[in-house]
Amino acid sequence: MSTYVYGIIDGAGSSLPEDLNGVGDPPRPVRVLTAGDLGAVVSDAPEGLRPKRKDLLAHQNVLAEAGSGGCVLPMRFGSVAPDDETVVTVLGERAEHYQERLRALNGKVEYNVKATHDEEAVLHRVMAENPELRALTEANRQAGGGSYEDKLRLGEMVVSAVKAREAEDAAEVQRELESGATAVSAGPESTGWLANVSFLVDRDSAEAFLASVEQVRKSHPHLELRVNGPLPPYSFVEPGPAEHAGSTAGAESSGE
């Protein structure tokens, strides 16, 4: 029977409600596997698990219960190991790493920030910043729209300028927000977002971090920012003791 892994806790604080259930239909009972000073919060893994709302909420609820008495290292939804023995073995092999992470992440939460451009606003900005673009646009206008080659050249220049602005804005978003975080983790590139960054923030500093996000919004009106959090610090735990199920990995961590 495969083992579904929710998170890792200090083994000394491994007490969970006896009736705590996790993912699956029917929901699988949750238990704790221990190895030395560490505990893994697990259940049997259901077959054919998909990121349905019911199971996503069950995963989050187990993490909330596990973290009520102390720090928990959250695993992403869909983390499955071959069996209990594999989980216990990996806990032992990576004990130093997990113990360091438990200390480092205690009292911390994750905020994921994604950024994209407001298309009309960024076009106005790149035109204002680029005299060559303005000159070619005006030349085409005076020539009744310009030749096919002129239009093609203008289009290529606009695309290049927008891409350059995307790179600059991505770096600037991270630079302006990272001072309010204790760690930063760049997420995978995805279509539609010029930045996808997770910030590890002291729980007591969360309000100040969100105020910084609002300041970035005000000072960069050509950007659209999406903030997801507070989250368990998924992006600052790896490696975990289980492989992600291919169709479900990371479904809850940073949102889409």
Side-chain angles (χ1 to χ4, degrees):
M1 172 68 70
S2 297
T3 301
Y4 186 99
V5 185
Y6 299 88
I8 299 169
I9 58 177
D10 184 336
S14 59
S15 177
L16 293 174
E18 292 184 3
D19 59 348
L20 182 61
N21 290 318
V23 298
D25 186 14
R28 274 41 173 190
V30 174
R31 60 187 188 278
V32 176
L33 303 176
T34 58
D37 295 331
L38 295 171
V41 182
V42 306
S43 69
D44 291 344
E47 293 185 5
L49 184 66
R50 295 292 183 269
K52 297 179 181 178
R53 177 175 174 79
K54 173 179 174 292
D55 287 315
L56 290 170
L57 291 175
H59 182 96
Q60 293 170 2
N61 180 60
V62 171
L63 287 175
E65 290 287 353
S68 62
C71 185
V72 58
L73 303 184
M75 298 295 108
R76 299 182 189 275
F77 181 88
S79 293
V80 177
D83 50 39
D84 287 3
E85 183 179 356
T86 299
V87 175
V88 172
T89 298
V90 175
L91 282 182
E93 292 174 347
R94 299 176 181 168
E96 185 175 347
H97 168 75
Y98 293 139
Q99 288 164 349
E100 184 277 330
R101 289 288 81 196
L102 282 167
R103 292 190 296 269
L105 299 182
N106 190 31
K108 307 289 197 305
V109 292
E110 175 177 334
Y111 283 91
N112 176 261
V113 178
K114 289 184 172 70
T116 189
H117 277 147
D118 177 289
E119 291 187 9
E120 184 175 350
V122 76
L123 283 175
H124 282 298
R125 178 155 186 156
V126 298
M127 292 295 290
E129 294 174 339
N130 194 315
E132 187 177 1
L133 274 180
R134 295 198 304 273
L136 183 55
T137 300
E138 178 61 20
N140 284 357
R141 186 188 67 79
Q142 293 183 2
S147 66
Y148 171 79
E149 289 76 12
D150 288 337
K151 292 177 181 178
L152 182 61
R153 180 182 172 218
L154 177 60
E156 291 174 343
M157 289 175 63
V158 169
V159 169
S160 178
V162 169
K163 285 187 176 298
R165 170 50 59 186
E166 285 180 350
E168 292 173 11
D169 284 337
E172 193 164 348
V173 167
Q174 179 169 329
R175 183 169 57 251
E176 294 195 14
L177 295 179
E178 64 186 0
S179 62
T182 60
V184 177
S185 176
E189 294 184 3
S190 58
T191 303
W193 302 107
L194 61 90
N196 175 18
V197 186
S198 289
F199 298 87
L200 186 66
V201 178
D202 284 317
R203 192 179 298 275
D204 293 340
S205 302
E207 187 174 341
F209 178 80
L210 292 175
S212 297
V213 174
E214 288 306 312
Q215 184 57 44
V216 172
R217 281 196 175 107
K218 291 178 181 178
S219 60
H220 298 74
H222 63 293
L223 287 177
E224 295 179 356
L225 299 182
R226 173 177 169 180
V227 182
N228 192 13
L231 300 166
Y234 294 103
S235 300
F236 302 91
V237 175
E238 300 296 349
E243 295 296 328
H244 293 166
S247 60
T248 60
E252 86 302 350
S253 63
S254 57
E256 288 300 334

